[in-house]
Amino acid sequence: MRAPHRVVVVGASLAGLSAARTLRAEGWTGSLTVVGAEPHLPYDRPPLSKEVLAREEEPELPRLPLPAGPDARWLLGRRAVRLDTSERRVTLSDGTGLAYDGLVIATGAHARTPRAGGPAPPGVFTLRGWDDALAVRARLGAGRSLVVVGGGFLGSEIAAAARARGTAVTLVEAAEQPLTRALGRVAGAYVAGLQEEAGITVRTGTRVTGFRTALGGGLCAVELTNASAVPADTAVVALGGVPATDWLAGSGLLLDQGVCCDPFLRALRGDGSPAPGVVAAGDAAKVPYALAGGSRVTTGHWADALAQGAAAASTLLHGETAGPYDTVPSFWADLHGARFRSVGLPSLADEATVLEHDPAGRRLEIAYHHRGSPVGALTAGRTSRLAAYRAELASAARSAGVCAAAPSAGTRTG
Ligand SMILES: Cc1cc2nc3c(=O)[nH]c(=O)nc-3n(C[C@H](O)[C@H](O)[C@H](O)COP(=O)(O)OP(=O)(O)OC[C@H]3O[C@@H](n4cnc5c(N)ncnc54)[C@H](O)[C@@H]3O)c2cc1C
């Protein structure tokens, strides 16, 4: 495989930037164009649900480091609207056409919007980007009331940060505990306990059915399935992300809630063959994991977007000699003074073994297995344990072997 001359990176955020940085770090001097829908230079998202909301001081854009070496061309505030894989061309929203011989798809995800009927009134937000975070932040503080819809880590962090600013907070979760689907009941109950201890009202086993507005048109209450309503002037819907692949419709790429990739992160076409010169990374990519028996997974984790961006760039430069992507997934979140860290894919587990459970000491350690094999671990206040878990999971993944996944049900071709 010959190294490309012209690389276009679509998505000017973590995964795209990691790819761009890797290309330059490996000494590649070809023409590099980075396209980003947002007007901002690349920035980091994790602080948006943590210190940007929680701190009283005015926040600054948490910028990500740019690639070193020859200048890249930055086309910001413009989105890619079309990909032609036969002509090897990306079309932007302003009509610009970009020819490539290497393309990195790194368009991340959009926030999932509420299903509750009708358009959401003023005062209802999602939180994916910097502008969302500033808008939510402006509505937090003593005397304000917030409902967070969705008790995953993002919703839990938003609730914790808002509470730290003195906001009255209710967290609404459809399952019987927050985080149950991802991490099981013990971890869910542990997190719910921390939230309640901080003065957050946790409403589980109920869904949002609608948003009630005041005379002026703004939000005044959030309606729930059990016919109750929680008074609130602000709601943040934190129901996860939807891979931003709408612009790939008609491209011929295999799309199934993400761009389906082979183990080298090459984007696959409808017939299962890699599209020449196209790789994908981050929250937009669906990547085969040996830990998942070769099934494709979109983890939605920061560290995975970073590692996949680098691996995708290596594939562009070196082809299969770069080796398959085999990094163990990892994640962190901060809640009420506890730093949660997970490795592997705990959501695959059929068994969770609790090794330590000490909410007062902000310590937790759970090992996850599927059919007796390790698939993940979760810790709070036990960072030193992670290296051993990571090594165990890497070894389990090696013995499972990387196998290309068959397209799953519901797969469609873009
Ligand atoms: C508020 C928040 C907090 C988080 N906290 C954590 C955490 O604590 N720990 C953790 O592990 N992970 C966390 N994450 C997840 C982590 O930030 C993501 O996994 C990571 O940002 C994914 O990077 P990405 O580059 O794939 O996608 P993104 O960061 O979503 O970037 C994609 C970029 O592509 C742009 N784009 C989309 N469509 C187009 C188009 N058609 N044309 C051009 N550009 C386009 C978008 O505007 C965006 O700038 C958090 C995410 C959020 C939103």
Side-chain angles (χ1 to χ4, degrees), residues 11-233:
S13 185
L14 183 64
L17 202 61
S18 171
R21 284 205 303 258
T22 302
L23 289 170
R24 291 304 192 216
E26 292 213 16
W28 180 77
T29 53
S31 143
L32 175 60
T33 303
V34 185
V35 181
E38 296 178 80
H40 313 291
L41 274 169
Y43 62 89
D44 215 11
R45 285 172 215 276
L48 305 184
S49 52
K50 304 175 181 65
E51 52 266 29
V52 168
L53 296 187
R55 288 204 187 132
E56 291 297 339
E57 313 88 74
E58 277 303 306
E60 285 183 13
L61 187 73
R63 293 266 306 269
L64 286 165
L66 299 179
D71 272 354
R73 187 176 162 215
W74 295 90
L75 301 178
L76 300 177
R78 283 183 252 186
R79 59 178 52 248
V81 292
R82 188 161 181 269
L83 169 63
D84 185 331
T85 49
S86 340
E87 293 291 319
R88 298 195 183 198
R89 199 170 187 80
V90 174
T91 307
L92 307 189
S93 44
D94 63 359
T96 305
L98 299 173
Y100 67 84
D101 49 10
L103 172 68
V104 182
I105 297 174
T107 41
H110 304 299
R112 195 179 294 279
T113 46
R115 263 182 255 148
V124 180
F125 299 85
T126 55
L127 203 171
R128 183 77 202 173
W130 174 246
D131 300 326
D132 305 327
L134 293 187
V136 171
R137 183 192 146 74
R139 301 176 69 99
L140 304 181
R144 306 303 298 253
S145 48
L146 170 73
V147 169
V148 178
V149 184
F153 267 118
L154 179 62
S156 298
E157 282 190 340
I158 294 168
R163 187 68 201 125
R165 297 267 311 282
T167 317
V169 181
T170 303
L171 181 69
V172 177
E173 164 58 44
E176 71 185 89
Q177 294 287 359
L179 293 162
T180 307
R181 274 185 298 270
L183 294 167
R185 292 161 60 133
V186 173
Y190 183 98
V191 168
L194 295 189
Q195 301 281 38
E196 283 167 342
E197 184 189 298
I200 293 167
T201 305
V202 180
R203 302 278 301 262
T204 56
T206 185
R207 289 172 192 276
V208 170
T209 53
F211 298 106
R212 203 175 286 169
T213 50
L215 275 180
L219 182 73
C220 68
V222 175
E223 295 168 349
L224 305 180
T225 34
N226 56 7
S228 64
V230 182
D233 56 41

